[in-house]
Amino acid sequence: QVRHLQAEIRELKRRLFGRSSETSATTQPTSTKPPDTRKPRSRGQQPGSSGHGRRNHDHLPTTHEVCALPETEKCCPDCGQPYEEIPGTADGYILEIDVRAYRRRYQRKRYRCPCDCGNRPRLLTAPPPDKLIPKSNIGVSLWTTILEHKFAFFQPLHRTLAELSSRDMSLPAGTITDGLQKCVPLFEPLYKLLAEYNRTAEHWHCDETRWLVFEKQPDKANFKWMLWVFAAKDSIVFVLDPTRSHDVPEDHFGDDAEGIASVDRYSSYKAMAQVRRARLSWLSAGPMCVATS
């Protein structure tokens, strides 16, 4: 009993005065293995391994460049006799990238109608090239670059603008921010199709986390929103909502979704209408809860 009480005292002292890490020295098991005297393994590919070889870049477009001796080196430096060129070349490849900003100027041709048929206009002008946003001078390729950097590479917008500025293309942040908002309706049909496809799955992993949205709302005292995720086998849907209510997963799944949802013990999942109507039942699985049809 004395040893047991002393062990409790040591444990309480460790919690009060010890390090906060769970892997502190008092919790580490004592190892009885002899010290390892082997030479530590160096980083990187080891000598003698087969390796994977050079990566194949045959899919990239190729430009051809002829390398020749300078005119002053095409002859023998001692006697001045010119070298004789022989057939064949020694070839090699170098990976390069050419990224440049340019201005695309278009010229719309105009036409005159010589006939008097009906109410046809007398003058016609060819339509301009397609644009993502009407009356904007930013082309589709530039919007593609901005969207790719922001959502695929997670690069802040000001860094993308700084990168474009280094290529002599200075764009105002307000114009790009306003253009991104105008792009939202263009993606809504695709988002709705993705959400509908996500509902047809049979197993989802769901979770929610706080997300700051600096937009004032009369009925909301702070900027804390919730970012919900519904991950299926081959589709992921994110829902940004001001609340953490059960209405969010309830509205996403709808009335026809049936399957298994792996979630935590948050009560909103249990309060879904699908559960109250006995379409889904909740089973405890250790630290997780599972909704099964």
Side-chain angles (χ1 to χ4, degrees), residues 160-192:
T160 303
L161 296 180
E163 180 183 350
L164 294 174
S165 179
S166 67
R167 299 174 188 157
D168 297 330
M169 179 178 287
S170 179
L171 298 176
T175 301
I176 302 302
T177 303
D178 182 65
L180 290 175
Q181 294 177 353
K182 292 180 180 179
C183 288
V184 173
L186 303 177
F187 290 99
E188 285 181 352
L190 178 62
Y191 176 81
K192 291 179 180 179

Side-chain angles (χ1 to χ4, degrees), residues 199-219:
R199 296 186 191 102
T200 61
E202 298 179 352
H203 187 195
W204 303 269
H205 290 269
C206 312
D207 199 5
E208 75 288 334
T209 185
R210 60 176 293 176
W211 198 267
L212 296 179
V213 177
F214 298 101
E215 178 181 348
K216 292 184 178 180
Q217 291 188 341
D219 54 344

Side-chain angles (χ1 to χ4, degrees), residues 63-81:
T63 60
H64 297 275
E65 179 181 346
V66 178
C67 301
L69 290 175
E71 293 296 333
T72 56
E73 299 180 8
K74 288 186 176 181
C75 58
C76 178
D78 296 330
C79 64
Q81 189 74 11

Side-chain angles (χ1 to χ4, degrees), residues 9-110:
I9 293 173
R10 286 195 302 269
E11 177 62 19
L12 292 174
K13 286 183 177 180
R14 183 192 67 80
R15 295 182 183 181
L16 184 60
F17 304 109
R19 292 181 294 178
S20 58
S21 173
E22 296 179 356
T23 58
S24 59
T26 55
T27 59
Q28 289 295 328
T30 355
S31 175
T32 56
K33 294 183 178 179
D36 192 358
T37 56
R38 293 178 298 177
K39 185 179 179 181
R41 182 177 181 270
S42 59
R43 298 180 62 183
Q45 186 172 335
Q46 303 303 306
S49 60
S50 58
H52 49 73
R54 289 194 174 184
R55 287 174 171 79
N56 188 3
H57 295 93
D58 292 344
H59 60 283
L60 296 177
T62 304
T63 60
H64 297 275
E65 179 181 346
V66 178
C67 301
L69 290 175
E71 293 296 333
T72 56
E73 299 180 8
K74 288 186 176 181
C75 58
C76 178
D78 296 330
C79 64
Q81 189 74 11
Y83 295 146
E84 296 180 0
E85 185 175 343
I86 59 177
T89 56
D91 301 337
Y93 293 95
I94 300 176
L95 294 178
E96 300 282 2
I97 187 169
D98 182 16
V99 181
R100 61 186 179 90
Y102 66 95
R103 187 175 58 170
R104 180 181 172 193
R105 179 178 177 84
Y106 59 88
Q107 296 175 327
R108 303 168 57 189
K109 290 189 175 182
R110 298 182 298 174

